[in-house]
Amino acid sequence: TNASKHGDGRTPVRVRLTEEPGAVTIRVVNVGQLPPGFDPLGSPAAARGMGLVAALLPREGAGLRITNDGDDHVVAELRLQEPLLRPQVDAASA
């Protein structure tokens, strides 16, 4: 939602899901730039939205990173891994 809200309205937001053994990463890229020294949890304005996001993330097995990509894009990556994710067991082989 933030990527759409803060984009330029013309450039599509790109979303990619990648999977690897024991982990998945959701990557959202939109047009924009974070201010120099941006700390998603360090400012009062950010504390409202990002503080809520941080509070809702599990302590183990989840990580969120928000950065500039150096090419006028903001990149948000949410990585979920074990112990939060568990390998799926095939019911036929169980």
Side-chain angles (χ1 to χ4, degrees), residues 50-70:
M50 292 307 297
L52 179 60
V53 169
L56 292 173
L57 283 176
R59 299 235 185 259
E60 291 185 41
L64 178 65
R65 184 173 66 166
I66 303 173
T67 59
N68 289 318
D69 74 350

Side-chain angles (χ1 to χ4, degrees), residues 5 8 11-12 18 20 22-23 32 40 42 47 49 52 73-74 81 86-87 90-91:
K5 179 179 174 182
D8 67 6
T11 307
T18 55
E20 56 190 83
L52 179 60
H73 293 95
V74 175
Q81 60 192 27
R86 304 218 190 287
D90 182 9

Side-chain angles (χ1 to χ4, degrees), residues 17-82:
L17 173 70
T18 55
E19 181 180 10
E20 56 190 83
V24 295
T25 301
I26 302 168
R27 179 181 168 103
V28 179
V29 179
N30 69 303
V31 172
Q33 281 292 319
L34 299 171
F38 176 78
D39 179 358
L41 300 176
S43 71
R48 291 188 297 265
M50 292 307 297
L52 179 60
V53 169
L56 292 173
L57 283 176
R59 299 235 185 259
E60 291 185 41
L64 178 65
R65 184 173 66 166
I66 303 173
T67 59
N68 289 318
D69 74 350
D71 195 25
D72 279 339
H73 293 95
V74 175
V75 179
E77 291 182 318
L78 174 63
R79 182 174 171 84
L80 305 174
Q81 60 192 27
E82 296 177 2

